[in-house]
Amino acid sequence: MVPSALVLPGVVAAMATGILLADAGLLSAAVTPALLAGAALLAAAARASRAGILVVCAALAVGLGLGAWRGAAAGLPTGPGSVGSLVGSTEWRLSGTLVEEPRPKGERAQLILDEITAATRDNAPQPAKGRVLVWLPRSTEASAGDRIALRAALDEPRDFDGFAYRAYLARQGIGAIARAYDATVVGHRLGPGAEIANAVRRWLLDGLNRTVPEPEAALGAGILLGVRSSISPEIGDAFATAGLTHVVAISGWNIAIVAALVAAALRPLGRRPGGRWIVPVATVSAIAGYVVLTGSSPSVVRAALMAAAMLIARLGGSRAHAAGALLLAALVMLLAAPPVLWDVGFQLSLLATGGLIWFGATVEARLRRLPTFLREPVALTLAAQLTTLPVILLNFERLSLVAPLANVVVVPLVPLVMLCCAVCAPIGAIDAALHVPLLGDTATWLAGGSAWLYLHLMVLAGKAAAAVPFASVPLTAPGWLAFLWYPLLATVSLRSRHSTAVPDPLQALELATPTGEPRPMPALLRALARPRGLLALSTLLLGALTLASLPDGRLHLTMLDVGQGDAILIEGPTGRTLLIDGGPDPDLTLGRMGEALPFFQRQIDVVLLTHPHQDHVAGLVEVLRRYRVGVVLDSGRAFGNPSYARFLELAGPRLREARAGQRLALDTRTSILVLYPTQADATGPLPDEDINNASVVARLEFGAFSALLTGDAEAPVEARLAERGLVAPVDVLKVGHHGSHSSTSPPMLAGARPVVALISDGVDNEYGHPSRETLVALAAAGTRVRRTDLEGSVEVISDGRSYEVVSRVARDPSRPARALARLLPLAGSIGPWPFPDSTTPARSLPATSFPRASSATRRACAASRRRPRGWCFTPGSRSTCASSRSPPCSTTSTSREREPRVSLTASSAPAG
């Protein structure tokens, strides 16, 4: 009898072996015809003698031949005419087609180009075989299928930190790396169908980003649309520690949710004649459409194939059907893209799905004493971990001990997240294109808030699980462990052969058994699964959170922790907002803004760009895309930066030039006075020919509180301000140029006499900021220094009579403290005198105990404090910079007024 059960596994195993041997250079495509001929002879002999062993040998020969053929075809082209031959110091004029959507990585974006042509200045373009990995500024506008042209020299990929990066790229056909300053889109190569799918995906992603703040929006985009490039590293690390990485990207579970929703909607058809096949066909069609919508990336196709295997298992009702479908899916993927064999995601998906098929029911039977809602996710997690253990230990060298319990909490949230994101994405996109007052506000508040709520719960659960002691333990294992582990699992599987039931991961989404009887779920969970109950609960929670997040009548000035750059968020006592600069990393800036602002705050009343350096303007590009911005202020000094050009394009008619003497009134008590530059400063030569000296310098005033905000202005600008009598005593000084020795000159400190100095810089930055010289000068002036590289985001809170300074470390004890002696929150009084810093303890505080405020006595403000000469401005011509959209009202923060009550007034008095 022919052992047919071994044919398909033999083909898959032999094909994987052939690909490995071809990659190692031990097997070439030339042997493929011989192997196929031998397989044909063996099959003929087996048919004549009915020898099953010969059929298996023929299957092995076929698989080995296919593997050798596909492995050789997928190899990296080398030699003359390949992209590797272009590596060197010569600058090339390159053009190529963008294979997939750009992957943002901080300030830059990663692109993969195919169909390469290259030319020097003197030569005509010639085709080059292979692909090129290109790094471009993130502001570059390009999408999958675009044909782009650029100038760059090509470098050879290099290994790093023990990672074979060169071989990793070679298996994707990438033979060179290019770093370019700019690129131009010169054409498009996608067909109409793919173009429509990309447009719909971008439309949905834009709607999601407009209604949900970061970091939750990036997580929602990863779960719903497979766009995971902007997910916060903090969330990614926490989910990896908690064993929740399958939630971050589209997996078979996400595809299963789509299948379950479609099947539930079509369940009445299943009871009619022929319904047994109508529902599966419609489900598979829905899965195919979802795969196309999410970009048809290899990971999504892999997830769809794995989910299809589980669907076949459900229809067939046996593990044999499921195993056959799984192996067939693996065979198709290896034939289409042999490099997927080295993809850890492919390995984990294949093994995890196999674990669900062969061990899910067995493990669940062992846990029959647990409640149903707890037993199913724990059983599925343990079954998947059984088969993926060697791969996890070999690649990640860590083992999550909290994964089963973390999945119990997080996995039930995934369907809610997908449903809410799928609803809020089109609502946000429609509202951005056609806003209907009140109706649009209510819809975006409810839809976006619901998505944010469940995403936020998911983030909190993941971080809480990762914070458990010994949540994951470092554990390594040699590669040969797999050769012992999997035979052991096979033996266990054979012993449990009597259990033929197939675990159904879709049961968690259903409230009734196949017989129609209700499942033994708690009443609360049954209520949550009903749309009306879920809507009522979401509305109640969002209403309570909205009321708790209304403005508190105080000024909040937050120096956002955006790395080596600047971003300052100011929230007035009535909720008006001002953002000064945006840092170098848009994802990081948006995440910090999401932490500082309520979930419903999607409006920034004023955006001020001090100067167009990348570490100040890059983040503002995404802010202008995702937030409703009223007024945009800029120094008006031209500068060759692609991000700055994109910023000006997005600002459009809202753009105004910031000039000395202008006063922006956020409300009746809060205003910003521009001190520099004057019109003559903006049009004249730059001091030291440095664009830093084009920075807008402004003074923030709220009651008796004041802060001097200097951008990156250096000593020449500080000298001009001092000469013009514009440097007055302040409570807070934003130190210029990240604490560089070129700023914070003695005249500036002597005139400003700040109590607190805020320095925004990156951890261990390459520039050495802040300089020791600046720190010594601030200490000599009696100024307390607060730094984002040590404390994270630093917030100054004032009621107009006194203030306090708190940091993210003080609010988040889980954040590692690098300099505990500097992290005490500071409370002080308003006044021109230096506040005595006598509360710093001699001993260090424990890392988990940071008080919100020190015990310093608050002093009353001297109401009759005089301003120095030059500060009295007579009312001048009033010009209001208005936007068609305004900030939220003071009750629900979702309604928009006709005009923002933010005025920009130019004084008739001279600025100097």
Side-chain angles (χ1 to χ4, degrees), residues 612-626:
H613 261 160
Q614 184 75 1
D615 60 334
H616 291 249
V617 69
L620 292 182
V621 174
E622 285 300 315
V623 170
L624 292 178
R625 282 174 172 162
R626 299 196 184 192

Side-chain angles (χ1 to χ4, degrees), residues 573-599:
T574 61
R576 307 289 177 180
T577 52
L578 165 65
L579 179 63
I580 303 177
D581 293 329
D585 185 347
D587 296 328
L588 187 56
T589 298
L590 293 171
R592 297 294 181 246
M593 291 178 64
E595 294 171 354
L597 294 172
F599 74 91

Side-chain angles (χ1 to χ4, degrees), residues 738-740 759 761 765 768-772 774-775 785 787 789:
H738 319 288
S740 167
I759 300 179
D761 49 15
N765 62 85
H769 294 162
S771 71
R772 180 174 179 80
T774 300
L775 296 177
V785 176
R787 298 164 49 178
D789 62 331

Side-chain angles (χ1 to χ4, degrees), residues 214-215 234 463 590-598 793 808 811:
E214 293 290 356
E234 297 176 3
K463 289 184 175 180
L590 293 171
R592 297 294 181 246
M593 291 178 64
E595 294 171 354
L597 294 172
S793 298
R808 187 181 176 195
R811 293 181 170 182

Side-chain angles (χ1 to χ4, degrees), residues 582-812:
D585 185 347
D587 296 328
L588 187 56
T589 298
L590 293 171
R592 297 294 181 246
M593 291 178 64
E595 294 171 354
L597 294 172
F599 74 91
F600 51 79
Q601 179 65 282
R602 306 304 297 163
Q603 167 119 5
I604 303 296
D605 297 287
V606 182
V607 165
L608 170 60
L609 174 63
T610 59
H611 67 293
H613 261 160
Q614 184 75 1
D615 60 334
H616 291 249
V617 69
L620 292 182
V621 174
E622 285 300 315
V623 170
L624 292 178
R625 282 174 172 162
R626 299 196 184 192
Y627 285 82
R628 301 184 300 272
V629 176
V631 180
V632 180
L633 293 177
D634 175 38
S635 64
R637 177 72 69 162
F639 187 69
N641 182 351
S643 296
Y644 181 52
R646 185 60 179 155
F647 167 82
L648 296 178
E649 179 184 348
L650 292 173
R654 298 170 293 182
L655 185 66
R656 302 289 187 273
E657 290 184 343
R659 293 295 177 259
Q662 294 172 340
R663 184 181 293 273
L664 294 97
L666 289 181
D667 52 55
T668 57
R669 301 181 61 197
T670 312
S671 63
I672 294 284
L673 179 64
V674 179
L675 306 179
Y676 182 89
T678 64
Q679 186 63 31
D681 295 326
T683 56
L686 273 173
D688 295 340
E689 298 182 354
D690 191 341
I691 193 65
N692 285 330
N693 290 321
S695 293
V696 176
V697 180
R699 179 185 174 100
L700 170 67
E701 298 175 349
F702 171 61
F705 174 82
S706 60
L708 184 60
L709 311 174
T710 60
D712 275 0
E714 298 183 340
V717 173
E718 296 175 351
R720 289 187 182 185
L721 293 174
E723 291 171 0
R724 298 169 184 174
L726 297 178
V727 182
V730 293
D731 300 289
V732 174
L733 169 68
K734 185 269 168 188
V735 176
H737 200 192
H738 319 288
S740 167
H741 62 82
S742 60
S743 300
T744 322
S745 58
M748 170 65 78
L749 285 178
R753 291 185 285 168
V755 179
V756 178
L758 304 180
I759 300 179
S760 179
D761 49 15
V763 177
D764 299 328
N765 62 85
E766 59 183 299
Y767 307 99
H769 294 162
S771 71
R772 180 174 179 80
E773 179 182 340
T774 300
L775 296 177
V776 170
L778 290 169
T783 303
R784 181 72 174 273
V785 176
R786 309 302 293 265
R787 298 164 49 178
T788 58
D789 62 331
L790 300 178
E791 308 180 51
S793 298
V794 180
E795 182 179 8
V796 181
I797 307 172
S798 174
D799 59 4
R801 298 181 301 275
S802 60
Y803 65 90
E804 61 178 339
V805 182
V806 296
S807 69
R808 187 181 176 195
V809 175
R811 293 181 170 182
D812 184 7

